Coordinates of all heavy atoms in Angstrom, one line a residue:
A888 N -92.7 96.6 -25.2 CA -93.0 95.6 -24.1 C -91.8 95.0 -23.4 O -92.0 94.5 -22.3 CB -93.9 94.5 -24.7
G889 N -90.7 95.2 -24.0 CA -89.5 94.6 -23.4 C -89.1 95.2 -22.1 O -88.4 94.6 -21.3
G890 N -89.6 96.4 -21.8 CA -89.2 97.1 -20.6 C -87.8 97.5 -20.5 O -87.1 97.6 -21.5
T891 N -87.3 97.8 -19.3 CA -85.9 98.3 -19.2 C -85.0 97.1 -19.1 O -85.4 96.0 -19.0 CB -85.8 99.1 -17.9 OG1 -86.2 98.3 -16.8 CG2 -86.7 100.3 -18.0
D892 N -83.7 97.4 -19.2 CA -82.7 96.3 -19.0 C -83.0 95.6 -17.6 O -83.3 96.3 -16.6 CB -81.4 97.0 -18.9 CG -80.3 96.0 -18.6 OD1 -79.8 95.3 -19.5 OD2 -79.9 95.9 -17.4
P893 N -82.9 94.3 -17.6 CA -83.2 93.6 -16.3 C -82.4 94.0 -15.1 O -82.9 94.1 -14.0 CB -82.9 92.1 -16.7 CG -83.1 92.0 -18.1 CD -82.7 93.4 -18.7
D894 N -81.1 94.4 -15.4 CA -80.3 94.9 -14.2 C -80.9 96.2 -13.7 O -80.9 96.5 -12.5 CB -78.9 95.2 -14.7 CG -78.0 94.1 -14.3 OD1 -78.5 93.1 -13.6 OD2 -76.8 94.1 -14.5
K895 N -81.5 97.1 -14.5 CA -82.1 98.3 -14.0 C -83.4 98.0 -13.3 O -83.7 98.7 -12.3 CB -82.3 99.3 -15.2 CG -81.1 99.8 -15.9 CD -81.4 100.7 -17.0 CE -80.2 101.2 -17.7 NZ -80.5 102.1 -18.8
K896 N -84.1 97.0 -13.8 CA -85.3 96.6 -13.1 C -85.0 96.1 -11.7 O -85.6 96.5 -10.7 CB -86.0 95.5 -13.8 CG -86.6 95.8 -15.2 CD -87.3 94.6 -15.7 CE -87.6 94.6 -17.2 NZ -88.2 93.4 -17.7
L897 N -84.0 95.3 -11.6 CA -83.5 94.7 -10.3 C -83.1 95.9 -9.4 O -83.6 95.8 -8.2 CB -82.4 93.8 -10.5 CG -81.9 93.0 -9.3 CD1 -83.0 92.2 -8.7 CD2 -80.7 92.1 -9.6
E898 N -82.4 96.8 -9.9 CA -82.0 97.9 -9.0 C -83.2 98.7 -8.5 O -83.3 99.1 -7.3 CB -81.1 98.8 -9.8 CG -80.4 99.9 -9.0 CD -79.3 99.4 -8.1 OE1 -78.8 98.2 -8.3 OE2 -78.8 100.1 -7.2
M899 N -84.2 98.9 -9.4 CA -85.4 99.6 -9.0 C -86.2 98.8 -7.9 O -86.7 99.4 -6.9 CB -86.3 99.8 -10.2 CG -87.6 100.6 -9.9 SD -88.7 100.7 -11.3 CE -89.4 99.1 -11.3
F900 N -86.3 97.5 -8.1 CA -87.0 96.7 -7.1 C -86.3 96.7 -5.8 O -86.9 96.9 -4.7 CB -87.1 95.2 -7.6 CG -87.9 94.9 -8.8 CD1 -87.6 93.9 -9.6 CD2 -88.9 95.8 -9.2 CE1 -88.4 93.6 -10.8 CE2 -89.7 95.6 -10.3 CZ -89.4 94.5 -11.1
F901 N -85.0 96.6 -5.8 CA -84.2 96.7 -4.6 C -84.4 98.0 -3.9 O -84.6 98.0 -2.6 CB -82.7 96.4 -4.8 CG -82.4 95.0 -5.1 CD1 -81.1 94.7 -5.5 CD2 -83.2 94.0 -4.7 CE1 -80.8 93.3 -5.8 CE2 -82.9 92.7 -5.0 CZ -81.7 92.3 -5.4
Q902 N -84.3 99.1 -4.6 CA -84.5 100.4 -4.0 C -85.9 100.5 -3.3 O -86.0 101.2 -2.2 CB -84.4 101.5 -5.1 CG -83.0 101.7 -5.7 CD -82.0 102.3 -4.7 OE1 -82.3 102.6 -3.6 NE2 -80.7 102.4 -5.1
E903 N -86.9 100.0 -3.9 CA -88.2 100.0 -3.3 C -88.2 99.3 -2.0 O -88.8 99.8 -1.0 CB -89.3 99.4 -4.2 CG -89.6 100.2 -5.5 CD -90.5 99.5 -6.4 OE1 -90.9 98.3 -6.1 OE2 -90.9 100.0 -7.5
H904 N -87.6 98.1 -1.9 CA -87.6 97.4 -0.6 C -86.7 98.1 0.4 O -87.1 98.2 1.6 CB -87.0 96.0 -0.9 CG -87.9 95.1 -1.5 ND1 -89.1 94.6 -1.0 CD2 -87.8 94.4 -2.7 CE1 -89.7 93.8 -1.8 NE2 -88.9 93.6 -2.9
V905 N -85.6 98.7 0.0 CA -84.7 99.3 0.9 C -85.3 100.6 1.6 O -85.1 100.8 2.7 CB -83.3 99.7 0.3 CG1 -82.5 100.5 1.1 CG2 -82.6 98.4 -0.1
R906 N -86.1 101.3 0.8 CA -86.8 102.4 1.3 C -87.7 102.1 2.5 O -87.9 102.9 3.4 CB -87.6 103.1 0.2 CG -86.9 104.1 -0.7 CD -87.8 105.0 -1.4 NE -88.6 104.2 -2.3 CZ -88.3 104.0 -3.6 NH1 -87.1 104.4 -4.1 NH2 -89.1 103.4 -4.4
E907 N -88.2 100.9 2.5 CA -89.1 100.5 3.6 C -88.4 99.9 4.8 O -89.1 99.6 5.8 CB -90.1 99.4 3.1 CG -91.0 100.0 1.9 CD -91.8 98.9 1.3 OE1 -91.7 97.8 1.7 OE2 -92.6 99.2 0.3
L908 N -87.1 99.7 4.7 CA -86.4 99.0 5.8 C -85.8 100.0 6.8 O -85.2 101.0 6.4 CB -85.3 98.1 5.3 CG -85.8 96.9 4.4 CD1 -84.5 96.2 3.8 CD2 -86.5 95.9 5.3
D909 N -85.9 99.6 8.1 CA -85.2 100.4 9.1 C -84.2 99.6 9.8 O -83.4 100.1 10.6 CB -86.3 100.9 10.2 CG -87.3 101.9 9.6 OD1 -86.9 102.7 8.9 OD2 -88.5 101.7 9.9
D910 N -84.1 98.3 9.5 CA -83.1 97.5 10.1 C -82.8 96.3 9.1 O -83.5 96.1 8.1 CB -83.5 96.9 11.4 CG -82.4 96.4 12.3 OD1 -81.3 96.5 11.8 OD2 -82.6 96.1 13.5
F911 N -81.8 95.6 9.4 CA -81.4 94.5 8.6 C -82.4 93.4 8.6 O -82.8 93.0 9.7 CB -80.0 93.9 8.9 CG -78.9 94.8 8.5 CD1 -78.3 95.7 9.4 CD2 -78.3 94.7 7.2 CE1 -77.3 96.6 9.0 CE2 -77.3 95.5 6.8 CZ -76.8 96.4 7.7
P912 N -82.9 92.8 7.5 CA -83.7 91.6 7.6 C -82.9 90.4 8.0 O -81.6 90.5 8.0 CB -84.2 91.5 6.1 CG -83.2 92.1 5.3 CD -82.6 93.2 6.2
T913 N -83.5 89.3 8.3 CA -82.7 88.1 8.7 C -82.0 87.6 7.4 O -82.3 88.0 6.3 CB -83.7 87.0 9.1 OG1 -84.5 86.6 8.1 CG2 -84.5 87.5 10.3
T914 N -81.0 86.7 7.6 CA -80.3 86.2 6.4 C -81.2 85.5 5.4 O -81.1 85.6 4.2 CB -79.2 85.3 6.8 OG1 -79.7 84.2 7.6 CG2 -78.1 86.0 7.6
L915 N -82.2 84.8 6.0 CA -83.2 84.1 5.1 C -84.1 85.0 4.4 O -84.3 84.9 3.1 CB -84.1 83.1 6.0 CG -85.1 82.3 5.2 CD1 -84.5 81.5 4.1 CD2 -86.0 81.5 6.1
Q916 N -84.5 86.1 5.0 CA -85.3 87.1 4.4 C -84.5 87.8 3.3 O -85.0 88.1 2.2 CB -85.8 88.2 5.4 CG -86.9 87.6 6.3 CD -87.1 88.6 7.5 OE1 -86.3 89.4 7.9 NE2 -88.3 88.5 8.0
M917 N -83.2 88.1 3.6 CA -82.4 88.7 2.6 C -82.2 87.9 1.3 O -82.3 88.4 0.2 CB -81.0 89.0 3.2 CG -80.1 89.8 2.3 SD -79.9 91.5 2.8 CE -79.2 91.3 4.4
S918 N -82.0 86.6 1.5 CA -81.8 85.7 0.4 C -83.1 85.6 -0.4 O -83.1 85.6 -1.6 CB -81.4 84.3 0.9 OG -80.1 84.3 1.5
S919 N -84.2 85.5 0.3 CA -85.5 85.4 -0.4 C -85.8 86.6 -1.2 O -86.4 86.5 -2.3 CB -86.6 85.1 0.7 OG -86.4 83.9 1.3
L920 N -85.5 87.8 -0.6 CA -85.7 89.0 -1.4 C -84.9 89.1 -2.6 O -85.4 89.5 -3.7 CB -85.4 90.2 -0.5 CG -86.5 90.8 0.5 CD1 -85.9 91.8 1.4 CD2 -87.7 91.2 -0.3
A921 N -83.7 88.7 -2.5 CA -82.8 88.6 -3.7 C -83.3 87.7 -4.8 O -83.4 88.1 -5.9 CB -81.4 88.2 -3.3
Q922 N -83.7 86.5 -4.4 CA -84.3 85.5 -5.3 C -85.6 86.1 -6.0 O -85.7 86.1 -7.2 CB -84.6 84.2 -4.6 CG -83.4 83.5 -4.0 CD -83.8 82.5 -3.0 OE1 -85.0 82.2 -2.8 NE2 -82.9 81.9 -2.3
L923 N -86.5 86.5 -5.1 CA -87.8 87.0 -5.6 C -87.6 88.1 -6.7 O -88.1 88.1 -7.8 CB -88.6 87.5 -4.5 CG -89.9 88.2 -4.8 CD1 -90.9 87.1 -5.4 CD2 -90.6 88.8 -3.6
N924 N -86.7 89.1 -6.4 CA -86.6 90.2 -7.2 C -85.8 89.9 -8.5 O -86.1 90.4 -9.6 CB -86.0 91.4 -6.5 CG -87.0 92.0 -5.5 OD1 -87.9 92.7 -5.9 ND2 -86.8 91.7 -4.2
F925 N -84.8 89.1 -8.3 CA -84.0 88.7 -9.5 C -84.9 87.9 -10.5 O -84.9 88.1 -11.7 CB -82.8 87.9 -9.1 CG -82.0 87.4 -10.3 CD1 -80.9 88.2 -10.8 CD2 -82.2 86.2 -11.0 CE1 -80.2 87.9 -11.9 CE2 -81.5 85.8 -12.1 CZ -80.5 86.7 -12.6
N926 N -85.7 87.0 -9.9 CA -86.5 86.2 -10.7 C -87.5 87.0 -11.5 O -87.9 86.8 -12.7 CB -87.3 85.1 -9.9 CG -86.3 84.1 -9.3 OD1 -85.2 84.1 -9.7 ND2 -86.8 83.3 -8.4
K927 N -88.0 88.1 -10.8 CA -89.1 88.9 -11.4 C -88.4 89.8 -12.5 O -89.0 89.9 -13.6 CB -89.7 89.8 -10.3 CG -90.8 90.6 -10.8 CD -91.7 91.1 -9.6 CE -91.0 91.9 -8.6 NZ -91.8 92.5 -7.6
A928 N -87.3 90.3 -12.2 CA -86.6 91.2 -13.1 C -86.1 90.5 -14.4 O -86.1 91.0 -15.5 CB -85.3 91.9 -12.5

Side-chain angles (χ1 to χ4, degrees):
T891 60
D892 176 83
D894 259 2
K895 292 180 181 178
K896 293 184 199 176
L897 183 60
E898 189 75 13
M899 184 186 76
F900 294 154
F901 281 168
Q902 292 287 359
E903 289 177 357
H904 285 297
V905 170
R906 275 197 296 269
E907 298 172 0
L908 293 175
D909 296 316
D910 201 355
F911 285 93
T913 66
T914 57
L915 179 58
Q916 289 170 334
M917 186 102 62
S918 297
S919 297
L920 275 174
Q922 294 163 11
L923 174 69
N924 288 285
F925 180 88
N926 295 349
K927 187 162 56 172

